[in-house]
């Protein structure tokens, strides 16, 4: 097994109104010797904005804003901007997040040229009911029965006068175009899906998603391993390009007597065709063990959302117990070696 070092807590909540309930689930991107963190800041009533912190190297806090960097402006995000991820594609930064309006949680996008000013592009995932999704997805055969249990909201179709939609979260772009096309993950529980070969984000039309769902099973890139006790999985950090493939740090959710336990997993996808899984660790990369991971706003959570590399060390930033931000590190080459020893059998 790969040796993982828990580096401890990086950020904690403060008395500032916008982050007095918790800080968690940061996007991370390295620029030279600095790491920029864009984290979910939670205020009373579970309202979320995006806070900002700059690290000198992977662990030392150098600067932290005392006001949110990104706040809700539109109806679709009026209750919160949650769980950001960030990549740079060519000369533009793509920050994705979950937009929560108090009823629906859907993947949205903002772009920036300077990491200071962000241009919101709106929701980029389909806005569809579970019933319509299920009807389309089963056109060419059955889908996993867990889609029903996780997404039909106890068959309630409206709340607070709003239609309940299919929750589609964890939108994560690849950090470069593949064959000149955009590629990104998204997650409808319990599996991780992938969108490939998008010329422009304008292509994500209602008709695009209709065709996508008709061939839904073709777009599932990672499924939970039921023999490992995994209930569902979801995207974690943006993919990291390596000589052996795209390294994916994702989250694995175990069911326990005390509820769900969120841990980190690792997988490897084909560099030219990321729809193809090459290898996956058959165990947790790391899991809740320390007190700051076991006890908090939500117990038993390590939720990885950002990663950077310094030399051969991979640093993974994660929300710990939904209340604070911590970091774990490991040898990148060692992790790749361990993954290759667990290649997927055809």
């Amino acid at each position: 097994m790969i040796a993982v070092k828990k580096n401890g807590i990086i950020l904690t909540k403060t008395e500032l109104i916008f982050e007095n309930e918790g800080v968690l689930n940061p996007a991370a991107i390295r620029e030279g010797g600095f790491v920029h963190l864009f984290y979910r800041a939670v205020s009373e009533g579970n309202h979320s904005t995006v806070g900002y912190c700059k690290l000198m190297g992977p662990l030392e806090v150098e600067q932290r804003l005392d006001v949110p960097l990104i706040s809700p402006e539109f109806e679709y995000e009026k209750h919160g901007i949650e769980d950001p991820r960030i990549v740079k594609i060519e000369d533009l930064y793509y920050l994705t997040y979950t937009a929560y309006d108090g009823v629906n949680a859907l993947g949205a996008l903002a772009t920036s040229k300077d990491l200071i000013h962000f241009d919101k592009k709106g929701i980029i995932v389909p806005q569809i009911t579970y019933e319509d999704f299920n009807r389309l997805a089963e056109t060419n055969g059955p889908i996993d029965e867990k889609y029903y249990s996780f997404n039909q909201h106890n068959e309630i179709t409206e709340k607070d006068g709003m239609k309940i939609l299919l929750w589609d979260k964890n939108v994560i772009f690849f950090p470069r175009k593949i064959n000149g096309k955009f590629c990104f993950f998204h997650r409808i529980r319990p599996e991780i899906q992938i969108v490939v070969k998008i010329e422009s984000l304008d292509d994500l039309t209602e008709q695009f998603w209709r065709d996508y769902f008709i061939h839904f099973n073709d777009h599932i890139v990672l499924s939970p391993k039921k023999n490992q006790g995994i209930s569902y999985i979801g995207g974690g950090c943006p993919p990291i390009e390596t000589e052996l493939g795209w390294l994916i740090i994702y989250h694995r959710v175990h069911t326990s007597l005390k509820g769900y336990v969120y841990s980190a997993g690792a997988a490897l996808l084909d560099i030219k065709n990321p729809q193809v899984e090459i290898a996956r660790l058959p165990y947790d990369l790391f899991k809740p063990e320390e007190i700051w991971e076991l006890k908090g706003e939500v117990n038993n959570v390590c939720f990885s959302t950002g990663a950077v590399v310094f030399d051969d060390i991979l640093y993974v930033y994660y929300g710990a117990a939904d209340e604070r931000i911590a970091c774990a590190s490991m040898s990148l080459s060692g992790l790749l070696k361990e993954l290759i020893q667990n290649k997927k059998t055809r």
Side-chain angles (χ1 to χ4, degrees):
M1 294 178 66
I2 183 71
V4 176
K5 179 182 178 182
K6 297 283 183 71
N7 296 289
I9 299 168
I10 303 295
L11 289 182
T12 59
K13 62 185 179 182
T14 70
E15 294 182 355
L16 296 170
I17 293 176
F18 81 99
E19 59 180 15
N20 58 7
E21 289 293 312
V23 296
L24 60 153
N25 304 356
I29 191 164
R30 179 181 173 183
E31 295 282 351
F34 298 98
V35 177
H36 301 274
L37 296 184
F38 301 85
Y39 60 88
R40 178 179 172 184
V42 185
S43 64
E44 187 175 350
N46 193 34
H47 290 267
S48 298
T49 56
V50 174
Y52 170 79
C53 174
K54 182 167 73 171
L55 305 180
M56 170 71 80
L59 300 173
E60 181 182 348
V61 176
E62 179 175 275
Q63 178 190 7
R64 183 177 182 178
L65 295 186
D66 58 6
V67 294
L69 182 66
I70 308 174
S71 298
E73 299 173 82
F74 304 103
E75 281 294 309
Y76 65 82
E77 60 186 9
K78 65 182 180 181
H79 204 288
I81 295 176
E82 303 178 353
D83 306 344
R85 277 81 161 192
I86 193 166
V87 299
K88 187 177 185 181
I89 305 174
E90 297 169 352
D91 62 347
L92 198 62
Y93 296 95
Y94 290 73
L95 184 142
T96 50
Y97 60 94
T98 296
Y100 184 48
D101 62 9
V103 173
N104 296 303
L106 299 168
L109 170 68
T111 61
S112 175
K113 292 184 177 181
D114 58 11
L115 296 178
I116 299 172
H117 306 93
F118 285 85
D119 180 19
K120 291 179 180 176
K121 302 299 183 180
I123 293 169
I124 64 170
V125 297
Q127 299 177 60
I128 187 173
T129 64
Y130 170 76
E131 290 73 17
D132 287 341
F133 156 76
N134 187 67
R135 176 177 52 82
L136 292 169
E138 292 197 329
T139 301
N140 290 311
I143 60 176
D144 192 311
E145 61 185 15
K146 281 193 172 183
Y147 280 97
Y148 176 82
S149 60
F150 280 128
N151 297 286
Q152 50 78 34
H153 300 287
N154 296 319
E155 299 185 353
I156 299 172
T157 59
E158 288 192 8
K159 182 180 178 182
D160 298 333
M162 299 173 63
K163 183 182 294 186
I164 295 178
L165 303 176
L166 180 75
W167 282 25
D168 194 340
K169 304 168 65 175
N170 297 328
V171 174
I172 306 168
F173 276 81
F174 280 64
R176 67 167 172 84
K177 293 180 180 179
I178 300 175
N179 297 320
K181 310 290 178 63
F182 287 104
C183 181
F184 63 86
F185 295 128
H186 65 120
R187 198 285 305 275
I188 302 167
R189 285 197 298 178
E191 301 170 303
I192 301 174
Q193 299 84 29
I194 192 169
V195 173
V196 297
K197 299 179 181 178
I198 298 298
E199 290 273 3
S200 166
L201 298 180
D202 293 335
D203 294 340
L204 299 174
T205 62
E206 184 176 338
Q207 184 61 48
F208 169 88
W209 288 115
R210 178 182 173 85
D211 294 342
Y212 180 93
F213 285 136
I214 288 174
H215 303 282
F216 183 67
N217 283 324
D218 295 340
H219 305 296
I220 296 166
V221 65
L222 288 176
S223 300
K225 300 288 188 181
K226 297 177 182 178
N227 62 350
Q228 297 174 13
I230 307 299
S231 294
Y232 64 91
I233 60 175
C237 308
I240 297 170
E241 187 170 6
T242 77
E243 60 183 5
L244 299 180
W246 293 105
L247 172 62
I248 309 301
I249 306 298
Y250 66 99
H251 67 263
R252 294 154 49 98
V253 184
H254 306 255
T255 302
S256 75
L257 294 176
K258 296 181 180 180
Y260 287 137
V261 178
Y262 284 74
S263 301
L268 203 61
L269 305 181
D270 186 84
I271 202 73
K272 295 182 179 179
N273 182 8
Q275 291 176 285
V276 175
E277 179 185 348
I278 297 173
R280 193 187 321 189
L281 293 187
Y283 53 82
D284 294 330
L285 179 61
F286 60 89
K287 60 185 179 182
E289 296 172 309
E290 306 292 344
I291 187 64
W292 67 79
E293 302 161 340
L294 297 171
K295 300 294 182 181
E297 188 66 27
V298 179
N299 296 337
N300 304 309
V301 174
C302 291
F303 194 89
S304 306
T305 46
V308 300
V309 178
F310 280 81
D311 298 321
D312 185 48
I313 304 300
L314 173 65
Y315 293 87
V316 179
Y317 303 94
Y318 62 96
D322 270 19
E323 191 171 315
R324 52 197 73 90
I325 293 170
C327 181
S329 60
M330 65 217 70
S331 164
L332 176 59
S333 58
L335 176 56
L336 294 174
K337 181 179 180 180
E338 185 80 1
L339 277 163
I340 288 301
Q341 293 176 358
N342 290 278
K343 281 189 175 182
K344 182 178 180 180
T345 56
R346 305 298 177 186

